[in-house]
Amino acid sequence: MGFEELKKRQSVIWGTGPYERLPEHYQPLLDHVARALDVRPGERVLDVATGTGALATLLARAGAQVTGVDLAPALITTAKRLAAEDGLDITYDVGDAESLPYADGSFDAVGSNVGSMFAPDHAAVARELARVCKPGGRLALGNWSDERGVVDMFNVMKPFMPPPPPGAGSPFQWGNRGYVEQRLGEYFELRFEEGDAPQVGESGEEVWELFSTVYGPTRTLAESLDPDRREELHRAFAEFYEGYRTEQGVHQPRPYLIVIGTRRGSAGGG
């Protein structure tokens, strides 16, 4: 399976569940990215891998002219519906973070909230983030840590998942400062902030029910397995979160890295 086939699958996988229910479970991260972008009224802002538009919504409420782009048509359909319900004027497009459908230097600020990190070709993503950001423009990415947290949840799922295509980067590399410097340092002057968006729930079973119905990768994986393997995944997932039980219920720390950049030089990726 090559990158294009993987992205074709991703465009369906991410849209299989009602993803709009998930951002409230990482609200501290979402708010942190919005603060880091520090948008001003009238600025042109791009939300890459927008999902159902949670970040785009915050930016539009701050007065920015917002465009959201995502690989998954179903997510874009939901994002458009939610914007209409909120009375917000947000442009939403179906598009690839590795080949964004916008001209060089089109945006004053570019952001992504645990979105662009999941595209397989990291070099292409870095070039595109830089290309569409105007000289002196701002970047803010919210990425899950590569050390613990969400990466541990994916490690629970990994034995049940097909292997990625050769050369595909791990999403969680974007949660490592040194790696981000290698990918983005030539394009942006960078600084970093950190935080935590814990996963909470009454029980491991409740967290399983959430992710197996709402989160595309977990839901699709569960539905792809035969009944016995699905139950193995179910047990492993719920038991993993039970390992974070407190007196108040499940509380799993999920550290994240905020990448904040100022675009160097001229638009066009160099």
Side-chain angles (χ1 to χ4, degrees), residues 24-187:
E24 68 182 81
H25 291 271
Y26 53 79
Q27 195 69 44
L29 171 52
L30 181 61
D31 292 340
H32 200 155
V33 176
R35 289 196 306 272
L37 276 172
D38 189 25
V39 299
R40 295 134 205 176
E43 283 192 316
R44 300 162 300 162
V45 183
L46 178 65
D47 178 16
V48 180
T50 188
T52 52
L55 177 60
T57 296
L58 292 180
L59 304 177
R61 286 175 176 160
Q65 297 178 27
V66 183
T67 298
V69 62
D70 199 280
L71 193 65
L75 296 182
I76 289 296
T77 297
T78 299
K80 289 179 177 179
R81 174 179 58 80
L82 294 175
E85 291 173 358
D86 289 341
L88 296 173
D89 183 13
I90 303 173
T91 299
Y92 283 113
D93 300 315
V94 176
D96 185 350
E98 298 174 8
S99 182
L100 293 168
Y102 310 108
D104 296 358
S106 294
F107 298 96
D108 300 298
V110 178
S112 186
N113 185 63
V114 292
S116 63
M117 63 181 286
F118 287 97
D121 188 339
H122 294 185
V125 170
R127 288 194 302 269
E128 286 295 275
L129 292 173
R131 184 184 63 78
V132 300
C133 188
K134 75 174 188 179
R138 305 186 307 285
L139 175 75
L141 307 175
N143 300 322
W144 295 117
S145 168
D146 67 333
E147 295 182 350
R148 60 192 180 96
V150 174
V151 67
D152 296 325
M153 182 190 80
F154 270 79
N155 285 336
V156 172
M157 297 192 296
K158 188 175 180 178
F160 301 87
M161 300 171 71
S170 164
F172 302 101
Q173 289 175 291
W174 287 104
N176 179 282
R177 294 184 184 211
Y179 184 81
V180 173
E181 285 279 8
Q182 292 175 9
R183 287 298 182 199
L184 291 174
E186 68 176 290
Y187 307 122

